Amino acid sequence: MNFRFPMMFAKSLIFPRSEKKSSARRSLWGALLCIGLSIIPLIVVLSITNGMIQGMTDRIIGLASGNVQAYVSTRLKETSSAQTYIEWAQQFKTVQGVNEVYPEMGITALAAGKKMRTGAQLRALDSDIFEKNAAFKKLFTVLEGDVSHIDEKHAVIGQKMAELLDLHTGDTFRIITIKTNEGKQSPKLTSFKVAGIVSSGYQELDALWVFVSLETAWQFVSIENASFTVMIDTPDAYSPDLVRIQKELKTKYGKYANYYRWSQVHEAEFENFSSTKVMLVFVMILIVLVASINISSAIVMLVMERRREIAILKSIGASPSEITLSFIITGITCGIGGLAAGLPLGLLAAVNANQIVKYIEKAVNLFARAGYLIAGVPVEEIKAIRLMDPAYYLQDIPVNLPFAQVFIICIATVLLALFVSIIPSVKAGKEKPLDILRKV
């Protein structure tokens, strides 16, 4: 087969010398535009979902559980005081691969502010946890105050709780817990001052957190009502070596504790993240598929327009396979053209996702505010609309460009353009010149 002829004929199909209007050529360019437009949201969705999932995962691992989390029994005699509990947890560092341990006491409580109350998850940790723990130091943003050291009179709270209770640095709030004394339970009220207000950027994670020192917690919390855990840090949360570390911890120190990897502790959350990403990508791929089908329609129209030329070319010696290849090349070129148009725009939109969301948010709020005012809604009752509510998403969209996946998308788009071009191209190659010329 002579490949030069199919290439030249395909070039004339895409860029004809004649100025004659062609509906088929307009359809071909329309198909190219549709593919380009469908590639843009696909790239953006992949980049944003990857960044979101990675950002949420890092915060859940670093701030909530550690790479491995130990659930300690309250029957352990070392939990009778903060000092003995801290010393007991330090033995985990004898296991190869364990970098640091952070013993913790947790209890569900009630936090009371100036005007209202809300549920709280009390987390008792080392007083210098915000300096000692690399994840705390990196992922928490200090909005107010100083969190470098927590003493018996001060506590650190999350941004959401500060907003609910209308608290600022230096304000006093109360923690209400249940104290057990000789089998009898009674409420225990403890006052703290706000040492600092922090945010992880993911309110669903830290909305109820109140941080106090371990030594302080033993003064007002009953061991029977508390939970004891140890966050265990390793060099890499995603390393296969995590399984060995977990097994070794269980073998050496498993009498009064159970050990779980972060992927086991938060299995439900990560399955939810993964299923959401799969569904979003599936919808975007369907859009690309529908856009690619336009190539097939455009080639059918192109074949109908160029039937006379096909007949003449076959009459002078062009083979059916050469005619077929010409139209396949045309379809693939259309797919590549759409990819070339959509890919850089998609990457550009992904990199500037935060700015784009903010501009859209401003526009939506502007129109919504105008609509509310026209409807007679009082100004003070109009609330701002958040497209990316920090109660459910990260405050800022972390963009993670998935270059490997982008490469797969490029290959898949070209293959898709090839597949949808085959049937109409084969039919073009089977056209009989005598039948065509008789009808002309």
Side-chain angles (χ1 to χ4, degrees):
M1 181 190 293
N2 182 4
F3 286 98
R4 184 180 178 185
F5 165 71
M7 293 293 292
M8 292 179 65
F9 186 37
K11 181 181 178 182
S12 70
L13 292 173
I14 301 169
F15 305 106
R17 294 181 181 179
S18 172
E19 296 296 329
K20 181 181 177 181
K21 293 183 179 179
S22 170
S23 298
R25 200 162 64 253
R26 286 198 296 269
S27 297
L28 202 63
W29 285 102
L32 185 150
L33 180 63
C34 287
I35 290 176
L37 292 175
S38 66
I39 289 294
I40 295 172
L42 179 56
I43 299 296
V44 172
V45 165
L46 274 175
S47 301
I48 290 178
T49 53
N50 280 352
M52 279 284 189
I53 290 173
Q54 188 64 50
M56 291 175 181
T57 302
D58 289 344
R59 283 161 175 78
I60 289 173
I61 296 172
L63 305 180
S65 66
N67 299 351
V68 178
Q69 189 167 31
Y71 288 81
V72 183
S73 171
T74 54
R75 294 180 298 169
L76 180 70
K77 64 179 182 179
E78 281 80 0
T79 59
S80 58
S81 72
Q83 188 58 39
T84 55
Y85 182 43
I86 293 171
E87 291 173 357
W88 177 81
Q90 293 300 314
Q91 65 184 333
F92 296 163
K93 294 167 75 171
T94 60
V95 174
Q96 184 181 0
V98 174
N99 287 348
E100 192 55 78
V101 294
Y102 305 101
E104 176 179 348
M105 175 197 280
I107 190 168
T108 302
L110 193 64
K114 301 172 183 176
K115 297 179 180 179
M116 66 175 295
R117 298 176 180 178
T118 184
Q121 182 62 40
L122 200 67
R123 298 186 64 186
L125 292 152
D126 290 336
S127 59
D128 58 348
I129 187 68
F130 286 91
E131 291 294 321
K132 183 179 178 182
N133 188 312
F136 275 55
K137 196 170 183 178
K138 176 184 177 182
L139 299 175
F140 272 124
T141 300
V142 181
L143 304 176
E144 289 185 30
D146 180 15
V147 299
S148 59
H149 187 80
I150 309 170
D151 58 32
E152 60 182 11
K153 295 181 180 180
H154 292 83
V156 174
I157 62 175
Q159 180 184 14
K160 183 64 175 178
M161 182 166 290
E163 292 173 354
L164 287 173
L165 301 182
D166 190 21
L167 296 173
H168 297 277
T169 303
D171 290 348
T172 300
F173 70 104
R174 297 174 299 280
I175 293 292
I176 303 170
T177 56
I178 300 297
K179 188 75 173 178
T180 303
N181 187 13
E182 296 180 356
K184 296 181 180 180
Q185 292 186 334
S186 59
K188 172 71 175 178
L189 190 146
T190 309
S191 295
F192 290 96
K193 285 188 175 181
V194 179
I197 299 172
V198 297
S199 172
S200 67
Y202 183 29
Q203 283 186 11
E204 189 170 323
L205 183 66
D206 63 19
L208 302 178
W209 285 350
V210 175
F211 298 94
V212 298
S213 69
L214 270 172
E215 293 79 3
T216 304
W218 256 266
Q219 298 175 16
F220 68 95
V221 172
S222 294
I223 293 177
E224 297 83 357
N225 301 323
S227 62
F228 294 89
T229 57
V230 180
M231 293 191 297
I232 302 170
D233 275 358
T234 64
D236 184 4
Y238 304 95
S239 171
D241 196 43
L242 215 59
V243 176
R244 179 199 57 82
I245 294 171
Q246 178 194 18
K247 289 180 178 178
E248 193 170 336
L249 284 166
K250 187 174 182 179
T251 300
K252 288 186 175 181
Y253 311 110
K255 186 176 181 180
Y256 292 103
N258 291 319
Y259 302 87
Y260 299 95
R261 301 187 305 278
W262 64 267
S263 56
Q264 296 172 313
V265 176
H266 306 288
E267 184 177 1
E269 290 96 325
F270 297 117
E271 284 185 358
N272 182 40
F273 292 159
S274 300
S275 59
T276 301
K277 178 182 176 180
V278 169
M279 286 302 299
L280 285 171
V281 173
F282 178 69
V283 171
M284 294 299 108
I285 289 175
L286 286 180
I287 294 174
V288 177
L289 177 61
V290 171
S292 300
I293 292 174
N294 290 330
I295 296 177
S296 181
S297 302
I299 291 178
V300 170
M301 294 180 65
L302 201 60
V303 170
M304 293 176 65
E305 273 192 4
R306 297 300 187 96
R307 293 185 74 193
R308 183 188 178 101
E309 290 181 42
I310 293 170
I312 294 171
L313 289 171
K314 294 188 78 172
S315 299
I316 60 176
S319 67
S321 59
E322 288 175 331
I323 299 296
T324 298
L325 184 58
S326 297
F327 283 97
I328 288 176
I329 292 171
T330 302
I332 292 175
T333 303
C334 183
I336 293 173
L339 194 62
L343 185 59
L345 290 176
L347 293 173
L348 187 64
V351 170
N352 296 282
N354 284 293
Q355 289 83 352
I356 291 172
V357 169
K358 287 177 181 177
Y359 287 134
I360 295 174
E361 203 170 71
K362 286 181 180 178
V364 169
N365 277 287
L366 183 64
F367 285 110
R369 185 181 179 85
Y372 284 133
L373 291 174
I374 292 171
V377 178
V379 177
E380 60 273 8
E381 293 183 11
I382 299 175
K383 295 182 179 180
I385 298 172
R386 298 295 301 273
L387 297 181
M388 302 293 288
D389 194 331
Y392 309 103
Y393 305 99
L394 296 177
Q395 286 179 338
D396 292 312
I397 302 171
V399 178
N400 182 3
L401 296 177
F403 291 106
Q405 295 175 16
V406 168
F407 179 74
I408 293 172
I409 289 171
C410 295
I411 299 299
T413 302
V414 174
L415 291 176
L416 202 56
L418 168 63
F419 291 145
V420 299
S421 304
I422 288 175
I423 294 176
S425 298
V426 169
K427 288 183 178 180
K430 290 181 179 180
E431 291 280 0
K432 296 180 180 179
L434 289 177
D435 293 341
I436 297 171
L437 292 174
R438 284 196 191 103
K439 294 177 182 179
V440 175

